[in-house]
Amino acid sequence: MSQENNVPVLTIDGPGGAGKGTVCQLMAKQLGWHLLDSGALYRLTALAAQKHGVPLHDEASLAVLAQHLDVQFIPQDAGLMQTVLEGEDVSLDIRTEQVAGDASVVAALPLVREALLSRQRDFAQVPGLVADGRDMGTVVFTQAPVKIYLTASAEERAKRRYLQLKEKGADADIVKILQEIVQRDERDMNREVAPLKPAQGALIVESTNMSIEQVVDVVMTELERQQLV
Ligand code: DC
């Protein structure tokens, strides 16, 4: 249960590109639970900083921005989420590589993380929550009954991202994507506050050679084992 209100929480943490987003959307849909995409909050803070001309080293101002983010998440068909910042649909703007890089810088700032903490915990509402991020099991929902650490090799994650971009008809350079993934891992895993690592007791799912369906099956089996479904 979450420490907040006895609502069951499933946490799925892991490095970028491991498939957490898709797995969390599918799990939330199958379970009929709410979904928290915590990475979106860091991306939104980075985008708001860009919009308001706040430099990425101004921790105090970034924390104020994070605390007062005027954001709405509006569920769409097929488990997708429309993200609205200050009245503007930014669902696509927060997914650029530029915003991803800035988000990883902003996410290393302790005051920003603190400012986003209670906002994330507010997502734990009946009948349950699927929480996607880096520190869901280690910091935000430490009492969650099921914690997953979903990972895959950097090469496999780069390949998946490359194929995703190609499918959308976008230009993609696999070597550059791999470099960015390694750089982001380095920042997320080695920062002082809430570094990316498996939570104590987390089930580690190494998905390099697994399909999304196989990952969902493993997570569902774990929920059954803990008698949550
Ligand atoms: O999962 P994502 O790529 O949308 O996350 C964007 C950035 O935010 C990424 O660099 C890691 C960071 N992040 C974090 O530090 N803690 C979280 N709970 C979620 C994301």
Side-chain angles (χ1 to χ4, degrees):
M1 308 296 122
S2 85
Q3 52 270 67
E4 297 293 291
N5 52 11
N6 284 353
V7 171
V9 177
L10 161 65
T11 63
I12 305 191
D13 290 307
K20 282 176 290 132
T22 311
V23 170
C24 286
Q25 275 173 17
L26 290 170
M27 291 305 306
K29 195 157 173 235
Q30 274 195 33
L31 295 164
W33 288 8
H34 299 278
L35 175 65
L36 164 62
D37 171 4
S38 60
L41 292 172
Y42 292 97
R43 286 170 183 261
L44 283 159
T45 304
L47 189 65
Q50 209 184 78
K51 255 178 117 152
H52 295 285
V54 177
L56 296 185
H57 55 79
D58 184 351
E59 181 170 3
S61 304
L62 290 168
V64 173
L65 265 188
Q67 179 109 48
H68 298 284
L69 273 184
D70 169 12
V71 60
Q72 285 166 284
F73 293 107
I74 306 167
Q76 308 286 293
D77 287 346
L80 297 176
M81 199 72 87
Q82 186 186 32
T83 308
V84 178
L85 177 67
E86 297 167 17
E88 189 189 336
D89 183 351
V90 294
S91 316
L92 295 179
D93 307 62
I94 59 167
R95 298 294 156 200
T96 65
E97 290 304 309
Q98 169 74 44
V99 170
D102 288 357
S104 138
V105 174
V106 159
L109 304 173
L111 292 180
V112 170
R113 303 199 73 85
E114 203 180 302
L116 291 175
L117 204 51
S118 63
R119 194 185 279 260
Q120 294 174 80
R121 289 188 176 142
D122 288 346
F123 277 78
Q125 301 286 337
V126 283
L129 175 69
V130 179
D132 166 352
R134 305 290 190 288
D135 63 341
M136 298 295 96
T138 52
V139 175
V140 183
F141 301 108
T142 52
Q143 306 299 315
V146 177
K147 297 179 181 180
I148 306 288
Y149 188 82
L150 180 61
T151 186
S153 71
E155 289 74 17
E156 173 64 19
R157 288 183 281 132
K159 194 175 101 194
R160 289 177 191 171
R161 178 77 187 134
Y162 173 80
L163 293 175
Q164 228 176 32
L165 287 169
K166 279 283 176 198
E167 208 173 291
K168 283 193 220 150
D171 254 357
D173 174 349
I174 193 155
V175 176
K176 191 155 168 259
I177 293 173
L178 179 58
Q179 271 169 0
E180 279 164 1
I181 282 183
V182 170
Q183 240 173 39
R184 239 189 311 157
D185 281 0
E186 165 78 18
R187 250 198 313 255
D188 292 345
M189 290 174 182
N190 295 315
R191 66 181 174 222
E192 281 188 12
V193 57
L196 171 63
K197 62 175 182 196
Q200 208 173 3
L203 176 69
I204 297 180
V205 181
E206 214 294 321
S207 74
T208 303
N209 297 308
M210 289 169 81
S211 68
I212 291 286
E213 292 71 26
Q214 286 171 321
V215 174
V216 167
D217 273 356
V218 167
V219 178
M220 202 49 104
T221 305
E222 186 62 9
L223 285 166
E224 281 162 7
R225 208 171 65 82
Q226 298 293 338
Q227 300 181 328
L228 283 172
V229 286

